[in-house]
Amino acid sequence: MVENFFYDVIAIIPARAHFDKVEQLNMKELGGNPLIYYAIQEARKSKFIDKVFVSTEDKKIANFSKKNGAGISYIRPKKLTKKNILTDEVVKDFLKKSKIKTKIIVTLLPNAPFMRAETIDKIIQLFKKNKSDRIFSVKKIKSSIWKSQNKKDFFNISGGEKLDKNSFLEVAGGIFVSNLDYYFKKKKRKTLLYVNNEIESLMIQSVFDLIVADRLIDIDQTILLEMVKSR
């Protein structure tokens, strides 16, 4: 199916069936709904996203996504479902094959169930204001990071709890906002970071993560953040 409409902002949720550690992770139940449900719903709540799409090779994921308001422009080829394939490759292929016309692409990872529409919208607004090629969500690393100098001696490179302008960051929260140039033009890209809170940054990578998230999913995020601060 080829889309002929123009959208100012679209969301693409890449959701393959075979996750590295857990089969059908995106359809595992969390809080009474499949994991992918949360990304779809928050994308649909966004004030700026005109249309939500899911990129998948799996009929079960595709059918669920359509029933919950997401579009399926085409079935992802199996060559783009392998472990070493980057998310950007999947999104670029989606844009080529579906021929969707848009200015801004919001990529939302389905294994970030605590993401909120308000945060998605904040990042889109920052993207528009700063005229960057990409903004993506990260979190501060609070634990100490140690590096081996000669397989014998180790030294601390992070500073642990002391968070300042030199804090270490890691990609987390599953939100990437980009323009078309980021995917299709070879040039120096302007990339910015959005530092997300610890709760929205939680990513599901294993069955253990699912069990923990299931205990948290129905608790108000304000309460969860207070709990995190009190550690």
Side-chain angles (χ1 to χ4, degrees):
M1 176 183 173
V2 176
E3 294 279 339
N4 294 313
F5 300 104
F6 174 83
Y7 302 103
D8 187 47
V9 182
I10 65 167
I12 299 175
I13 302 171
R16 58 192 172 102
H18 305 287
F19 191 72
D20 301 345
K21 298 175 183 176
V22 186
E23 187 71 10
Q24 280 288 1
L25 175 67
N26 294 313
M27 292 300 291
K28 293 293 184 189
E29 188 173 310
L30 174 64
N33 296 295
L35 180 58
I36 192 174
Y37 169 86
Y38 299 96
I40 294 173
Q41 292 309 306
E42 292 307 306
R44 293 186 67 205
K45 289 178 191 174
S46 167
K47 294 184 292 185
F48 300 108
I49 294 172
D50 300 311
K51 182 74 174 177
V52 181
F53 296 94
V54 169
S55 167
T56 186
E57 83 289 8
D58 185 72
K59 287 184 180 179
K60 189 176 179 181
I61 294 174
N63 290 335
F64 177 84
S65 300
K66 284 189 280 188
K67 285 178 183 177
N68 284 273
I72 304 290
S73 277
Y74 85 120
I75 297 299
R76 192 198 304 186
K78 287 198 174 181
K79 67 179 182 179
L80 291 177
T81 64
K82 296 176 182 177
K83 184 179 178 180
N84 61 337
I85 297 297
L86 300 175
T87 299
D88 282 347
E89 293 178 66
V90 173
V91 173
K92 186 175 180 179
D93 186 73
F94 180 94
L95 293 168
K96 278 183 178 179
K97 298 283 177 61
S98 64
K99 297 185 179 178
I100 291 167
K101 295 178 181 178
T102 187
K103 287 182 181 177
I104 298 172
I105 303 99
V106 181
T107 305
L108 302 174
L109 302 187
N111 62 327
F114 294 95
M115 73 170 69
R116 297 194 303 170
E118 293 85 356
T119 301
I120 296 169
D121 286 346
K122 276 183 189 176
I123 297 176
I124 294 172
Q125 284 178 306
L126 283 170
F127 180 84
K128 290 181 173 181
K129 183 180 178 181
N130 289 281
K131 296 181 180 178
S132 58
D133 295 302
R134 165 167 282 185
I135 297 180
F136 61 93
S137 58
V138 297
K139 72 173 182 179
K140 292 179 179 179
I141 299 175
K142 289 189 175 181
S143 56
S144 294
I145 300 173
W146 293 75
K147 185 177 181 180
S148 170
Q149 196 165 22
N150 52 20
K151 295 185 179 181
K152 208 179 223 184
D153 300 320
F154 293 82
F155 59 97
N156 190 330
I157 62 172
S158 68
E161 289 290 337
K162 187 179 178 183
L163 299 176
D164 54 26
K165 64 180 181 180
N166 297 314
S167 295
F168 281 73
L169 303 168
E170 67 174 315
V171 179
I175 305 171
F176 302 79
V177 180
S178 318
N179 58 24
L180 280 174
D181 286 355
Y182 183 87
Y183 294 102
F184 296 107
K185 287 191 177 179
K186 292 181 179 179
K187 63 168 190 171
K188 189 175 181 180
R189 297 161 177 164
K190 181 181 177 183
T191 302
L192 301 176
L193 308 178
Y194 176 88
V195 181
N196 214 342
N197 66 59
E198 284 193 62
I199 301 303
E200 289 188 59
S201 295
L202 290 173
M203 307 287 286
I204 308 300
Q205 307 282 357
S206 66
V207 173
F208 177 78
D209 293 340
L210 271 172
I211 293 169
V212 173
D214 198 55
R215 298 290 183 93
L216 303 176
I217 198 71
D218 291 324
I219 302 175
D220 185 275
Q221 282 207 17
T222 305
I223 297 171
L224 289 175
L225 285 169
E226 287 301 319
M227 290 167 63
V228 169
K229 287 176 186 176
S230 66
R231 287 189 303 175

